[in-house]
């Protein structure tokens, strides 16, 4: 269940980032829209590697340490070097990169809020019937 939730969060974040890319680029300029999109993609890749790392590290069966080390080598030095490179590009505003990266947290919050609202309305509907 939790792994499906993370996969859905990544998909929804990427779709929302693409929509925001178009809208923000139209109203404010391509630099602002592409910075939000790049931050969201970087955050989704980071979350994907983190999910795989935790999933492979916490398995009860035999662990594939080569796969764990590959994820560690890809995630920490390369992914964070790409993040640093994104921050050093003068064309992309750093605040918009941060907004794009924070889009994941907004999606997680809104999905959780929607689940709480759905459970609340379902429990109220059952109590009115009885």
């Amino acid at each position: 269940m939790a792994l499906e939730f993370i996969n859905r969060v990544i998909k929804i974040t990427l779709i929302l980032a693409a929509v925001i890319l178009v809208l923000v680029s139209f109203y404010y300029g391509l630099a602002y829209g592409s910075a939000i999109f790049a931050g969201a993609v970087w955050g989704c890749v980071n979350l994907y590697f983190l999910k795989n790392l935790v999933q492979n590290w916490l398995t009860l069966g035999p662990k594939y340490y080569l796969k764990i080390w590959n994820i560690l080598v890809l995630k920490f030095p390369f992914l964070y070097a790409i993040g640093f490179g994104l921050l050093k590009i003068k064309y992309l505003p750093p605040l918009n990169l941060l907004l794009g990266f924070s889009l994941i947290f907004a999606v997680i919050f809104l999905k959780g809020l929607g689940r709480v609202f759905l459970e609340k309305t379902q429990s109220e509907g059952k109590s009115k019937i009885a």
Side-chain angles (χ1 to χ4, degrees):
M1 176 68 184
L3 297 178
E4 294 172 9
F5 177 76
I6 293 173
N7 290 334
R8 284 194 309 259
V9 164
I10 290 172
K11 287 178 189 176
I12 291 171
T13 303
L14 290 175
I15 291 169
L16 186 60
V19 170
I20 289 173
L21 168 69
V22 173
L23 293 175
V24 171
S25 295
F26 182 72
Y27 286 109
Y28 297 107
L30 186 61
Y32 295 102
S34 58
I36 292 174
F37 185 74
V41 169
W42 187 88
C44 287
V45 171
N46 190 18
L47 184 62
Y48 176 77
F49 279 134
L50 188 63
K51 177 194 72 130
N52 282 333
L53 180 64
V54 170
Q55 182 181 3
N56 288 316
W57 201 320
L58 298 179
T59 58
L60 295 177
K63 297 179 183 178
Y64 300 104
Y65 290 104
L66 183 61
K67 189 172 184 179
I68 292 171
W69 280 106
N70 285 337
I71 293 171
L72 285 171
V73 166
L74 283 173
K75 180 179 174 2
F76 289 106
F78 292 126
L79 191 61
Y80 291 155
I82 290 171
F84 180 74
L86 285 173
L87 286 172
K88 293 307 268 183
I89 296 174
K90 298 291 184 195
Y91 180 72
L92 301 174
L95 181 62
N96 290 61
L97 283 168
L98 183 63
L99 286 172
F101 181 74
S102 301
L103 194 60
I104 294 171
F105 304 118
V107 169
I108 291 171
F109 175 74
L110 291 175
K111 282 188 72 63
L113 192 66
R115 182 164 295 188
V116 167
F117 179 73
L118 184 64
E119 289 174 0
K120 181 79 171 166
T121 56
Q122 285 178 350
S123 66
E124 286 179 3
K126 290 179 183 177
S127 65
K128 289 182 182 179
I129 292 173

